[in-house]
Amino acid sequence: HLFLHTRKKMRLLVFLIICQCGIKNVNSHSASNPNIILLMADDLGIGDLGCYGNRTLRTPNIDRLAKEGVTLTQHIAASALCTPSRAAFLTGRYPIRSGMAAYSRVGVFLFSASSGGLPSEEITFSKLLKQRGYSTALIGKWHLGMNCESSNDFCHHPLSHGFDYFYGLAVTNLRDCKLGQGSVFLKGTEKSIVTSIQIIGITLVSLATVHFIGFLKVPFQALGYCLLITAILLVVLLFFFYNFRYLNCFLMRNHQIIQQPLSYENLTQRLTKEAVQFIGRNTDAAFLLVLSYLHVHTALYASKNFIGKSKHGLYGDAVEEMDWSVGQILDVLEKRNLNTKTLVYFTSDQGAHIEEISSSGEAHGGYNGIYKGGKSTNWEGGIRVPGLLLWPGVIQAGTYIYEPTSNMDIFPTVIKLAGAQLPYDRIIDGHDLMPLLQGKIIRSKHEFLFHYCNAYLNAVRWHPRNSESIWKVFFFTPNFNPEDSNGCYDSHVCFCYGRFVTRHDPPLLFDLSRDPEEKVPLTPETESHFYEILDVILRAVDNHTKSLHAVPDQLSWDNLLWKPWLQLCCSSLFQSCYCDYESEENLPEVHSE
């Protein structure tokens, strides 16, 4: 018996040594200067993917990333809106630090001729990787500004932020970009416009009435000026919105507009083809590719090969077409023997936009699974996003990580993999993911995560070092409309202040480890450490606030508004800014070789 017992112990010891060697072999395979491919969806819900529990949408290629790589189950976007989330992603910093978080109601750029954008002083991972000799490309959506003072200074352009090559949209995809899809501006501002016109009309009629009855003498000249100014404003607004898609929805290659307005015909195929060709051009050199999909932001679209093929209408068709594109990227990596030399990451910039409903009543927004709320809110449905990483031989296949992580973590992760140094002159809020991905540590380095609604601190997440609990407090919450709904359907998105929110004193407290759906706020009666938890979080808020410095507001009204002298136009305004150097007949079929 002693002999058998000793033999079993020897076998166990040998097994452990073999396992340890195997683990060391995996970990040591982290070759220097790997290729980096970062795939970002737009407004994709975490519940839209098979690997996160969806059973009706077909996403086999994205699911493959999970099966052969790592799934982050608590991956958090730094903002619940496109522009600030993408700024945080590129810089590894909360958008409040770069001025990319708005104090006004509008939290994103809407016009190509706005003067705001990602400041040149900000350091992006693309800048640092380019300095390390990487070829860098951004294909797809940018949404971080274009010009500052003239229509060709390109101060905020991707090529000014470390990308060698750009093919895509300067701003974003909107309903107004596609004929027959309605207007996001009318949806969000219809009541305000009608009210303003009514007030102006009533004021003018009242002035005219009191003048004619002799109660108050109003100079006709003043009335005439009021009418003229009102008429001019209405004409300018009508001209701008009538020509919106010509002025704001265009496709660029580097600094040149190649299609104005944008055509949705085979658009995903064109983006995919550009990505595949970029990989092909850099087979023997390190590269960074950011493929920033237009899917599934409205206006929704899909090519004829995907239209009507899903179980969820046009939204489902768009998701499945994006999945096809991800498959094309994975296939070309395998065919060129680059898969073991390449880190692939897939995410969404924020949660699904659940208020998106077409004029015919079809749901054009996605599914956030069990999580409350959606885009523009800091409920989990707005900020908990897919986080999938694949790197065969370096990170273990089929791994699930339940710790809090952030899209800001990509910055330090890729910087360190490329052998570059993190900037020492600024705070980087992200943390290197590789120790967590490779199992060298089991706890996230994020003890606290701060959730901003535009520039206003909305909520805080705390994961204590000695506990499995994940506490989350809300200082205010959006007022859903209708009240019993899960979003802000009357205004199209939720806003961050005034009558649009309810403030809480004491703050609402949840334990996400027990209540991920954020259904039942805790109270001093249901949580004995209620005030102790709040005290720790408020001290963390104080320390965080002290680390912030005043910076120019890139999303001020002055920086947001359309400036005609900044307008990009491939012909002239008198020719309706029309050109098409990207016609379909000149496009060969997309191949992955």
Side-chain angles (χ1 to χ4, degrees), residues 135-137 139 165 253 273-285 287 336:
S135 295
T136 58
I139 294 169
Y165 183 71
R253 177 175 280 114
K273 176 192 171 200
E274 288 284 339
V276 167
Q277 288 181 338
F278 175 77
I279 294 170
R281 292 195 299 269
N282 292 281
T283 302
D284 299 320
F287 65 81
R336 294 187 178 275

Short mmCIF file of all heavy atoms in Angstrom, two decimals, residues 135-137 139 165 253 273-285 287 336:
data_model
loop_
_atom_site.label_atom_id
_atom_site.label_comp_id
_atom_site.label_asym_id
_atom_site.label_seq_id
_atom_site.Cartn_x
_atom_site.Cartn_y
_atom_site.Cartn_z
N SER A 135 3.00 49.43 -38.62
CA SER A 135 2.09 50.01 -39.60
C SER A 135 0.72 50.09 -38.94
O SER A 135 0.27 49.11 -38.34
CB SER A 135 2.01 49.14 -40.85
OG SER A 135 3.26 49.11 -41.51
N THR A 136 0.06 51.22 -39.06
CA THR A 136 -1.18 51.44 -38.31
C THR A 136 -2.31 51.86 -39.24
O THR A 136 -2.11 52.68 -40.13
CB THR A 136 -0.98 52.51 -37.22
OG1 THR A 136 -0.54 53.72 -37.85
CG2 THR A 136 0.07 52.07 -36.20
N ALA A 137 -3.48 51.32 -39.03
CA ALA A 137 -4.64 51.65 -39.87
C ALA A 137 -5.91 51.69 -39.05
O ALA A 137 -6.11 50.86 -38.15
CB ALA A 137 -4.78 50.65 -41.01
N ILE A 139 -9.92 51.58 -39.97
CA ILE A 139 -10.90 51.35 -41.03
C ILE A 139 -12.28 51.36 -40.39
O ILE A 139 -12.55 50.61 -39.45
CB ILE A 139 -10.62 50.02 -41.75
CG1 ILE A 139 -9.29 50.12 -42.50
CG2 ILE A 139 -11.75 49.65 -42.71
CD1 ILE A 139 -8.76 48.81 -43.03
N TYR A 165 -2.96 55.02 -42.10
CA TYR A 165 -3.96 54.83 -43.15
C TYR A 165 -5.35 54.92 -42.53
O TYR A 165 -5.60 54.39 -41.44
CB TYR A 165 -3.77 53.45 -43.80
CG TYR A 165 -4.73 53.17 -44.95
CD1 TYR A 165 -4.58 53.84 -46.16
CD2 TYR A 165 -5.76 52.25 -44.81
CE1 TYR A 165 -5.46 53.59 -47.22
CE2 TYR A 165 -6.62 51.99 -45.86
CZ TYR A 165 -6.47 52.67 -47.06
OH TYR A 165 -7.35 52.43 -48.10
N ARG A 253 -10.70 58.32 -47.80
CA ARG A 253 -9.46 57.54 -47.79
C ARG A 253 -8.35 58.52 -47.45
O ARG A 253 -8.09 59.45 -48.21
CB ARG A 253 -9.20 56.85 -49.12
CG ARG A 253 -7.87 56.09 -49.13
CD ARG A 253 -7.64 55.29 -50.39
NE ARG A 253 -8.36 54.02 -50.35
CZ ARG A 253 -9.36 53.70 -51.15
NH1 ARG A 253 -9.78 54.58 -52.05
NH2 ARG A 253 -9.97 52.53 -51.05
N LYS A 273 -12.81 44.33 -47.09
CA LYS A 273 -11.79 44.23 -48.14
C LYS A 273 -10.58 45.10 -47.81
O LYS A 273 -9.42 44.68 -47.95
CB LYS A 273 -12.38 44.65 -49.47
CG LYS A 273 -11.38 44.66 -50.62
CD LYS A 273 -11.98 45.36 -51.83
CE LYS A 273 -10.91 45.56 -52.89
NZ LYS A 273 -11.26 46.60 -53.85
N GLU A 274 -10.84 46.33 -47.34
CA GLU A 274 -9.74 47.22 -46.97
C GLU A 274 -8.91 46.62 -45.83
O GLU A 274 -7.68 46.70 -45.83
CB GLU A 274 -10.31 48.58 -46.54
CG GLU A 274 -10.85 49.42 -47.68
CD GLU A 274 -9.77 50.07 -48.51
OE1 GLU A 274 -8.63 50.22 -48.01
OE2 GLU A 274 -10.07 50.46 -49.65
N ALA A 275 -9.60 46.01 -44.85
CA ALA A 275 -8.89 45.40 -43.73
C ALA A 275 -8.04 44.22 -44.19
O ALA A 275 -6.87 44.08 -43.78
CB ALA A 275 -9.90 44.95 -42.67
N VAL A 276 -8.61 43.38 -45.03
CA VAL A 276 -7.89 42.21 -45.54
C VAL A 276 -6.66 42.65 -46.35
O VAL A 276 -5.58 42.07 -46.23
CB VAL A 276 -8.83 41.32 -46.37
CG1 VAL A 276 -8.05 40.29 -47.18
CG2 VAL A 276 -9.86 40.64 -45.48
N GLN A 277 -6.83 43.68 -47.16
CA GLN A 277 -5.71 44.17 -47.97
C GLN A 277 -4.61 44.76 -47.09
O GLN A 277 -3.42 44.60 -47.38
CB GLN A 277 -6.21 45.19 -48.99
CG GLN A 277 -7.02 44.57 -50.11
CD GLN A 277 -7.50 45.60 -51.13
OE1 GLN A 277 -7.58 46.80 -50.84
NE2 GLN A 277 -7.82 45.14 -52.32
N PHE A 278 -5.01 45.47 -46.04
CA PHE A 278 -4.02 46.04 -45.12
C PHE A 278 -3.20 44.92 -44.47
O PHE A 278 -1.96 45.02 -44.38
CB PHE A 278 -4.70 46.89 -44.05
CG PHE A 278 -3.76 47.40 -43.00
CD1 PHE A 278 -2.93 48.48 -43.26
CD2 PHE A 278 -3.68 46.79 -41.75
CE1 PHE A 278 -2.04 48.95 -42.29
CE2 PHE A 278 -2.81 47.24 -40.78
CZ PHE A 278 -1.98 48.33 -41.05
N ILE A 279 -3.87 43.86 -44.03
CA ILE A 279 -3.14 42.73 -43.45
C ILE A 279 -2.19 42.13 -44.49
O ILE A 279 -1.04 41.82 -44.18
CB ILE A 279 -4.14 41.66 -42.94
CG1 ILE A 279 -4.95 42.21 -41.77
CG2 ILE A 279 -3.40 40.38 -42.52
CD1 ILE A 279 -6.13 41.33 -41.35
N GLY A 280 -2.68 42.00 -45.72
CA GLY A 280 -1.84 41.44 -46.79
C GLY A 280 -0.61 42.27 -47.07
O GLY A 280 0.46 41.72 -47.39
N ARG A 281 -0.74 43.58 -46.94
CA ARG A 281 0.41 44.47 -47.20
C ARG A 281 1.44 44.41 -46.08
O ARG A 281 2.58 44.89 -46.26
CB ARG A 281 -0.06 45.92 -47.36
CG ARG A 281 -0.87 46.20 -48.60
CD ARG A 281 -0.99 47.69 -48.88
NE ARG A 281 -1.65 48.44 -47.82
CZ ARG A 281 -2.96 48.67 -47.77
NH1 ARG A 281 -3.75 48.16 -48.72
NH2 ARG A 281 -3.48 49.38 -46.80
N ASN A 282 1.04 43.88 -44.93
CA ASN A 282 1.93 43.93 -43.76
C ASN A 282 2.20 42.55 -43.17
O ASN A 282 2.46 42.42 -41.98
CB ASN A 282 1.29 44.83 -42.70
CG ASN A 282 1.27 46.28 -43.12
OD1 ASN A 282 2.27 46.99 -43.04
ND2 ASN A 282 0.12 46.73 -43.59
N THR A 283 2.19 41.53 -44.04
CA THR A 283 2.42 40.16 -43.58
C THR A 283 3.77 40.00 -42.90
O THR A 283 3.91 39.23 -41.94
CB THR A 283 2.32 39.19 -44.77
OG1 THR A 283 1.03 39.32 -45.36
CG2 THR A 283 2.51 37.75 -44.32
N ASP A 284 4.78 40.73 -43.36
CA ASP A 284 6.13 40.57 -42.84
C ASP A 284 6.54 41.68 -41.88
O ASP A 284 7.72 41.83 -41.56
CB ASP A 284 7.13 40.49 -44.00
CG ASP A 284 6.85 39.31 -44.90
OD1 ASP A 284 6.53 38.23 -44.37
OD2 ASP A 284 6.94 39.47 -46.14
N ALA A 285 5.57 42.50 -41.47
CA ALA A 285 5.89 43.59 -40.55
C ALA A 285 4.80 43.68 -39.49
O ALA A 285 3.66 43.29 -39.71
CB ALA A 285 5.98 44.91 -41.33
N PHE A 287 1.90 45.11 -37.32
CA PHE A 287 0.86 46.07 -37.68
C PHE A 287 -0.18 46.18 -36.58
O PHE A 287 -0.39 45.28 -35.76
CB PHE A 287 0.19 45.67 -39.00
CG PHE A 287 -0.58 44.38 -38.98
CD1 PHE A 287 -1.88 44.31 -38.47
CD2 PHE A 287 0.00 43.21 -39.49
CE1 PHE A 287 -2.59 43.12 -38.47
CE2 PHE A 287 -0.71 42.01 -39.49
CZ PHE A 287 -2.01 41.96 -38.97
N ARG A 336 -2.39 33.20 -43.79
CA ARG A 336 -1.08 33.83 -43.88
C ARG A 336 -0.18 33.47 -42.68
O ARG A 336 0.85 34.09 -42.47
CB ARG A 336 -1.22 35.35 -43.99
CG ARG A 336 -1.88 35.78 -45.30
CD ARG A 336 -1.87 37.28 -45.47
NE ARG A 336 -2.46 37.69 -46.74
CZ ARG A 336 -1.82 37.75 -47.90
NH1 ARG A 336 -0.54 37.40 -47.95
NH2 ARG A 336 -2.42 38.15 -49.00
#
